[in-house]
Amino acid sequence: MSDPFVIAGRTFHSRLIVGTGKYPSHQVMRDAHEASGAEMVTVAVRRVDITRKTESLLDYIDTSKIFLLPNTAACYTAEEAIRTARLGREAGMSNWVKLEVIGDEQTLFPDTAALVEATRVLVKDGFVVLPYTNDDPVVCRKLEDAGAAAVMPLGAPIGSGLGIQNPNNIRIIREQSKVPVIVDAGVGTASDAAVAMELGADGVLMNTAIAGAKDPVAMARGMKLAVEAGRLAYLAGRIPRKMYATASSPLEGVVGR
Amino acid sequence: MHVTLNGEPRELPGPLTVAALLAHLDIDARRVAVEVNETVVKRARYEDTPVQPDDVIEIVNFVGGG
């Protein structure tokens, strides 16, 4: 069954987007990327360490197969995020950005007013903007109106591993959005990813759940299968939930009756 | 000459271009982005963009992130 995942005219075959942070080593990251089947990975934009020569992350990402999505992590104002997005565009030679404007240090929840503003500015500047947002359907609608190429509501706080905290909101966001909905952040294990996809998400973005697992490569494969399973279940259409049993085997012809 | 490079004060030899600055720092120009006084310098312009005294320069690259 052909079920391509299209964002801003670019087609992906995998609906799993993964990060590049917090892996035990670059080698493990590369192996986990391979196991995940992801075709897009997020990267952060940071100052070069001028005092010493360090290994480049890019030596461990096959950019002929994997599309780089620079983020604006740790930016707390629209201005910082816009500036970082422009640097990321020059470093990566693509106009895509995972836009983050953080509003609170402890929860890493977004400053949604600044996020909408930054989305508007960057879209006008020719960017394909994928904003990380909270699971608020109203904000998602504003982001879409501002020209976002997808909306990326969180399932739970970044790195929390709590799973999808507001499944109904994800469902509502999917129902109302004309752009892809990518659940970004909060996934802890494979079933969380499957739940996100069963709710109708078009994709899932995760970092810590894979990088922080005891065996990141095995978890990456687990996530790949979970995203595929959840997507298939969503497309298949699940049975309604009922309070009482309905027998699966015939009630007639029972022995001795 | 004195500049601010990635937030730190730094002395550089004479006036130079962005391309020469990267060479001086032994940085692969293909893997970074450069900002001079809060304006991103296009890679194609490294050779003819000057770095001048008291410029504020940022040189960034990609690192692991989510």
Side-chain angles (χ1 to χ4, degrees), chain A:
Chain A
M1 180 178 59
S2 173
D3 178 31
F5 178 29
V6 182
I7 310 170
R10 192 182 180 101
T11 301
F12 298 92
H13 303 93
S14 167
R15 291 173 177 273
L16 175 58
I17 303 165
V18 299
T20 55
K22 304 200 281 192
Y23 284 90
S25 70
H26 283 152
Q27 286 84 355
V28 171
M29 177 192 78
R30 183 177 53 199
D31 293 348
H33 285 172
E34 175 81 31
S36 75
E39 294 163 308
M40 176 153 58
V41 303
T42 54
V43 290
V45 178
R46 290 291 180 270
R47 283 171 167 166
V48 169
D49 185 351
I50 290 161
T51 59
R52 64 197 175 97
K53 204 88 177 143
T54 51
E55 228 181 17
S56 173
L57 177 75
L58 296 183
D59 288 335
Y60 293 87
I61 300 171
D62 180 357
T63 50
S64 69
K65 288 188 200 149
I66 296 180
F67 187 71
L68 295 179
L69 180 64
N71 71 28
T72 64
C75 290
Y76 278 79
T77 63
E79 291 70 30
E80 272 179 6
I82 291 163
R83 191 176 168 190
T84 303
R86 286 179 176 147
L87 281 166
R89 174 168 65 180
E90 198 54 32
M93 307 306 268
S94 112
N95 57 348
W96 288 46
V97 63
K98 169 179 162 174
L99 184 64
E100 295 185 41
V101 185
I102 303 301
D104 178 66
E105 254 177 69
Q106 208 163 17
T107 59
L108 297 179
F109 283 150
D111 176 338
T112 54
L115 184 68
V116 172
E117 185 198 331
T119 299
R120 199 170 286 126
V121 171
L122 288 170
V123 167
K124 278 200 187 114
D125 196 10
F127 277 86
V128 171
V129 181
L130 284 64
Y132 152 76
T133 183
N134 57 17
D135 53 3
D136 180 342
V138 177
V139 172
C140 286
R141 189 182 299 145
K142 287 183 182 179
L143 289 166
E144 189 175 333
D145 290 347
V151 290
M152 305 210 294
L154 53 81
I158 293 171
S160 70
L162 288 171
I164 315 300
Q165 298 291 286
N166 281 313
N168 204 42
N169 284 24
I170 301 297
R171 209 181 280 132
I172 292 168
I173 291 165
R174 174 57 285 165
E175 194 178 276
Q176 71 169 27
S177 301
K178 290 179 201 75
V179 294
V181 175
I182 299 164
V183 168
D184 175 8
V187 166
T189 186
S191 53
D192 298 334
V195 166
M197 296 306 292
E198 286 172 7
L199 290 168
D202 298 279
V204 180
L205 195 165
M206 64 181 74
N207 188 111
T208 309
I210 292 174
K214 275 187 191 151
D215 182 344
V217 179
M219 186 59 91
R221 177 158 161 72
M223 291 298 185
K224 171 190 160 78
L225 296 173
V227 167
E228 287 174 6
R231 178 66 180 174
L232 282 170
Y234 172 71
L235 294 175
R238 60 153 297 153
I239 60 163
R241 288 182 169 86
K242 286 181 290 194
M243 199 147 82
Y244 295 104
T246 314
S248 301
S249 307
L251 299 176
E252 302 80 33
V254 177
V255 173
R257 219 179 268 168

Side-chain angles (χ1 to χ4, degrees), chain B residues 26-46:
Chain B
D26 194 19
I27 289 172
D28 183 348
R30 293 166 302 173
R31 290 196 164 171
V32 297
V34 180
E35 205 186 54
V36 177
N37 301 327
E38 297 199 18
T39 301
V40 174
V41 182
K42 294 275 173 205
R43 203 164 294 182
R45 308 304 304 272
Y46 286 177

Side-chain angles (χ1 to χ4, degrees), chain B:
Chain B
M1 67 177 181
H2 175 83
V3 297
T4 302
L5 180 57
N6 283 0
E8 301 286 336
R10 178 119 184 172
E11 291 301 320
L12 291 176
L16 71 178
T17 63
V18 167
L21 170 64
L22 293 174
H24 173 72
L25 296 169
D26 194 19
I27 289 172
D28 183 348
R30 293 166 302 173
R31 290 196 164 171
V32 297
V34 180
E35 205 186 54
V36 177
N37 301 327
E38 297 199 18
T39 301
V40 174
V41 182
K42 294 275 173 205
R43 203 164 294 182
R45 308 304 304 272
Y46 286 177
E47 295 284 352
D48 53 25
T49 301
V51 176
Q52 287 160 333
D54 299 320
D55 276 352
V56 177
I57 303 153
E58 295 283 347
I59 305 175
V60 301
N61 62 356
F62 289 143
V63 301

